[in-house]
Amino acid sequence: MGRTGIFWALLAVTLAVYGVLVAVVGPPMQALANGGAIPDLRITGYDAADIRALLDGAEPGFAEAYARVSRSWDRAVPVLFALTFGYGIWIGGLPRVFVLVPILMGLADLAENTLAARMLLAGPAALDPGQVAWASAFTVAKWVLFPVTLLLLVTGLVRRRKADKEVRT
């Protein structure tokens, strides 16, 4: 299996794990949130009032369930995305420094998950606005870096395909 084959295999595993997170783990989390927006999904971020409202409206056990998911499935997903997208950018022939973009995205996602779990477990009365601000900043960073990562990945894959065609002709 060549480099491109390794990339596609990594992508298949990444998408399968992400699919489980979204299709199997996500709906029970949404149900526990009673329709409240889960911090990870708030593209524009959030503040302490948003988190307090989420916690006040959520079912008992929501914070614990979120923390369990953030220590398992939602730990695997950012690592897999960073590895897969970084490898795709690497083999795409783009400047190596661009591999840092998916790595930073993955690190932002991991930091977000850790901080969000802590703030949710603290409960609405003990929310630390500074911690909420950091968690929100990491959430926004993840969502800003995601399309940049995709653009770099597609650009690299197009370049790789073009180079492979030139070698064959």
Side-chain angles (χ1 to χ4, degrees):
M1 178 184 301
R3 288 180 174 186
T4 305
I6 292 170
F7 168 75
W8 291 113
L10 279 170
L11 184 62
V13 169
T14 300
L15 293 177
V17 172
Y18 181 71
V20 169
L21 177 65
V22 170
V24 177
V25 178
M29 288 297 301
Q30 283 297 142
L32 285 171
N34 280 330
I38 295 175
D40 301 53
L41 305 177
R42 293 178 182 225
I43 296 172
T44 58
Y46 41 86
D47 60 19
D50 295 325
I51 300 304
R52 198 169 289 110
L54 170 65
L55 288 168
D56 287 342
E59 294 291 326
F62 167 74
E64 292 78 9
Y66 180 94
R68 273 193 309 278
V69 170
S70 75
R71 288 189 300 265
S72 57
W73 291 100
D74 212 8
R75 190 170 285 165
V77 167
V79 170
L80 285 168
F81 269 110
L83 176 67
T84 302
F85 291 0
Y87 183 71
I89 292 166
W90 182 272
I91 67 169
L94 296 176
R96 300 294 189 223
V97 69
F98 289 137
V99 172
L100 291 174
V101 176
I103 292 170
L104 290 173
M105 181 187 75
L107 291 172
D109 198 352
L110 291 168
E112 164 207 49
N113 294 339
T114 300
L115 291 172
R118 286 183 190 161
M119 72 183 180
L120 293 173
L121 288 169
L127 281 178
D128 174 0
Q131 185 178 39
V132 174
W134 275 106
S136 179
F138 284 120
T139 300
V140 171
K142 169 188 77 173
W143 286 110
V144 167
L145 292 170
F146 182 69
V148 175
T149 297
L150 286 179
L151 179 63
L152 290 169
L153 176 64
V154 169
T155 302
L157 292 176
V158 168
R159 281 183 65 164
R160 172 103 183 168
R161 184 178 168 111
K162 194 173 182 181
D164 288 350
K165 275 186 176 181
E166 289 173 3
V167 168
R168 285 182 278 192
T169 58

